[in-house]
Amino acid sequence: MGFKIELGGFQTLIQDRGRVGYGQYGVSGCGAMDEYAHRVGNILVGNDENEASLEVLMIGPTIKFDKYTQIAITGADLGANLNGKKIDIWRSYEINPGDILSFKGAKSGVRAYISIAGGIDVPIVMGSKSTYTRGKIGGFKGRALKKDDYISTFFEARD
C-alpha cells in the first residue's frame, strides 16, 4: 500500500542523499538538492535521515494516500494543502486513507521535500534510491512521477 499520483506537478522525483563512487562511469551522484530540508523531513516522520523522499520542484504534485501514514513537508513553501485546507511546512501530519495532498504553487523557494514515514519502496540502484533522469535509473522507473503512478511505502498501519 502507498499512494497514487493524481497530478505529477512540474517535476517530482524520488531522492535520497545520493549515490557515491560512480562518476567515473558517467553516473551522477544525484540526491536531494537541499540536503538539510531532506534530512529534517525524515527526522520529523521518524525515518533514518538518509531515507528517500519526494523532491518537488516549484509546482507540487497531487497525491492520494490509500493508507494511514505520517508525512512532513520541508524546504520551499509551495502552498501545501491537505484535503483542501492549508497546512504548514516544517512539521509532520497524520494521513488517513483517502486523504489528498496538493499544492497551490511556489510562495517562497523552489524545492520542497515530502517525507513519508517508513520510507518509499523503490529499488536501491548503485547504493541509492535517487532518481537520475538522464541515465533513466533509480527512483521510480528512472523518471519524474506522473499521473497514475502508484508508489508503495513501508509504513505499517496502526491497529
Side-chain angles (χ1 to χ4, degrees), residues 8-23:
F10 182 71
Q11 183 181 56
T12 303
L13 302 173
I14 295 172
Q15 298 289 19
D16 58 18
R17 292 182 68 196
R19 58 184 55 81
V20 178
Y22 294 94

Side-chain angles (χ1 to χ4, degrees), residues 115-129:
S115 299
I116 300 162
I120 298 171
D121 185 9
V122 293
I124 296 171
V125 178
M126 293 181 244
S128 174
K129 293 182 180 181

Side-chain angles (χ1 to χ4, degrees), residues 25-84:
Y25 305 111
V27 178
S28 168
C30 301
M33 292 293 289
D34 183 345
E35 188 174 323
Y36 177 77
H38 168 78
R39 292 170 65 196
V40 170
N42 275 316
I43 291 167
L44 286 170
V45 297
N47 289 346
D48 180 281
E49 56 189 67
N50 297 315
E51 181 55 53
S53 61
L54 301 181
E55 181 179 72
V56 176
L57 182 61
M58 295 188 330
I59 300 169
T62 299
I63 300 171
K64 184 173 184 177
F65 295 88
D66 67 2
K67 70 177 187 174
Y68 169 82
T69 192
Q70 189 177 29
I71 66 166
I73 302 168
T74 54
D77 183 354
L78 303 183
N81 287 277
L82 185 59
N83 299 321

Side-chain angles (χ1 to χ4, degrees), residues 1-9 12 54 61-67 69 95 98-102 114 116 140 145-153:
M1 298 185 79
F3 58 90
K4 181 180 176 187
I5 302 296
E6 301 286 327
L7 293 171
T12 303
L54 301 181
T62 299
I63 300 171
K64 184 173 184 177
F65 295 88
D66 67 2
K67 70 177 187 174
T69 192
I95 298 296
D99 281 354
I100 297 176
L101 177 65
S102 61
I114 305 168
I116 300 162
F140 185 79
L145 300 180
K146 62 183 183 179
K147 182 176 174 41
D148 295 327
D149 284 344
Y150 184 84
I151 311 299
S152 295
T153 60

